[in-house]
Amino acid sequence: MDSPHGAAVKAEDFGLKGPRGWAFQGVGIDAAPGSLIAVEGPSGSGRTCLLLALTGRMKPTRGHAEVGGHRLPKRMAAVRRIAALGPVSGVNELDQALTVAEQLREGALLQRHYGAPVRAMLRPRAERRAVAEARIAAALEAAGLDLATLPKGGRTSVRDLERLESVRLSVAIALLGSPGLLALDDLDLKLSDTERAEAWDLLRSVAARGITVLAVCSEAPADAVVLRTSPKEPAAPDAPAVAESVADADGPTEDDAKDDAKNDGENDGENDTTNDSENDETKGADDALAEAGRA
């Protein structure tokens, strides 16, 4: 893999509101490149929406953020190019019908098609294959996934992987593009205490390589930069806004938002060939609200 350059993450009064209320609001952060950032909160509190907004997959409706020097919401396409998604349920899931080796080859192929310079496509096939294999080997090492330890090696079906192995595979695929920001949803879901500790050790090792890591979790480790999301009680009339990350009980759901983000991610290759301002600035307030509602 190429030497990564972590993306600084900054936000001020960052929020996203849909027709049914706030997904989150009042978020502020100033994290240096290579930081380990944890989005902590209960399920349904806007954690995934915040992750998708900070990676350029959802358009915020309040305040602003800056990721790797690219300002949101103006430069969403630019942020998508430097922010890779690890496992995000309903948005960026592994294909259960593939083997581990097939999933890795598919990831390398997509990266070469959408992320590599044009001159790389002109290399001889054997050279392209050797480069892809080297990148896969480096990504697997960084993710701590040894194919030899799997029941059938690279021919092991993705559906047969343990939860932590699936996380490692998703991280490896995300690292193929040498991102500045790696984002993962529900990191500690269905993990034992020991596996949870291993998962955080993995992300610390990724951050130590210079890549900024953003992970959604139910409980953040002590050494992480923490963004907290939490449900709030319905506000009384004329009550002041709560200056922290919050989510209304009847606001936009994360499952709805994931559907929209998944569609957006599938079209990244096509959208990135157009001007960023054409992609992002021409979307009106109505489109932003509709996106937030579905998100």
Side-chain angles (χ1 to χ4, degrees):
M1 295 183 296
D2 299 331
S3 299
H5 300 281
V9 178
K10 302 178 181 180
E12 183 177 348
D13 195 27
F14 198 52
L16 188 153
K17 186 178 183 181
R20 292 171 289 171
W22 288 98
F24 61 86
Q25 63 173 317
V27 171
I29 186 175
D30 188 354
S35 295
L36 177 62
I37 307 169
V39 180
E40 179 187 82
S43 179
S45 63
R47 304 177 308 175
T48 302
C49 292
L50 177 55
L51 178 143
L52 294 174
L54 286 173
T55 54
R57 271 76 178 182
M58 290 184 65
K59 189 170 185 177
T61 54
R62 176 175 175 176
H64 67 272
E66 189 175 286
V67 179
H70 303 296
R71 192 176 179 89
L72 294 170
K74 184 178 181 180
R75 302 294 306 282
M76 289 175 65
V79 170
R80 288 197 298 270
R81 284 194 289 269
I82 65 170
L85 290 182
V88 179
S89 178
V91 176
N92 195 42
E93 295 174 306
L94 297 173
D95 190 334
Q96 302 298 305
L98 298 181
T99 66
V100 172
E102 290 169 341
Q103 189 82 77
L104 286 163
R105 285 196 296 269
E106 180 183 85
L109 179 63
L110 290 173
Q111 171 57 33
R112 188 178 69 195
H113 184 71
Y114 291 114
V118 175
R119 63 179 180 275
M121 302 295 294
L122 303 178
R123 294 172 179 172
R125 179 176 298 179
E127 182 179 348
R128 295 200 305 269
R129 183 183 299 111
V131 170
E133 290 176 352
R135 294 181 73 86
I136 289 173
L140 285 171
E141 181 180 1
L145 182 60
D146 184 357
L147 299 188
T149 64
L150 301 180
K152 297 181 180 179
R155 294 183 294 107
T156 302
S157 175
V158 169
R159 69 168 62 92
D160 294 330
L161 293 177
E162 299 292 337
R163 164 67 178 161
L164 184 56
E165 291 171 340
S166 294
V167 171
R168 292 187 185 279
L169 177 58
S170 294
V171 169
I173 293 170
L175 293 179
L176 289 172
S178 298
L181 174 66
L182 170 65
L184 307 91
D185 193 25
D186 287 329
L187 176 68
D188 48 11
L189 180 67
K190 297 181 180 179
L191 293 181
S192 66
D193 291 343
T194 300
E195 291 171 333
R196 187 178 298 113
E198 290 184 36
W200 283 114
D201 284 343
L202 164 61
L203 298 192
R204 289 187 187 94
S205 69
V206 172
R209 298 170 62 88
I211 301 172
T212 304
V213 177
L214 177 67
V216 166
C217 62
S218 58
E219 184 177 353
D223 59 340
V225 178
V226 181
L227 285 174
R228 290 186 173 86
T229 62
S230 59
K232 70 171 185 178
E233 296 298 326
D238 301 324
V242 179
E244 62 177 305
S245 180
V246 299
D248 286 337
D250 59 349
T253 64
E254 291 184 355
D255 289 340
D256 289 340
K258 290 174 184 177
D259 291 337
D260 190 67
K262 182 175 183 179
N263 293 334
D264 180 55
E266 291 173 349
N267 294 324
D268 275 354
E270 178 182 352
N271 291 343
D272 287 350
T273 60
T274 62
N275 185 272
D276 282 347
S277 61
E278 182 178 340
N279 284 338
D280 304 319
E281 293 180 53
T282 57
K283 294 182 179 179
D286 290 343
D287 292 333
L289 290 176
E291 182 177 352
R294 291 193 301 273

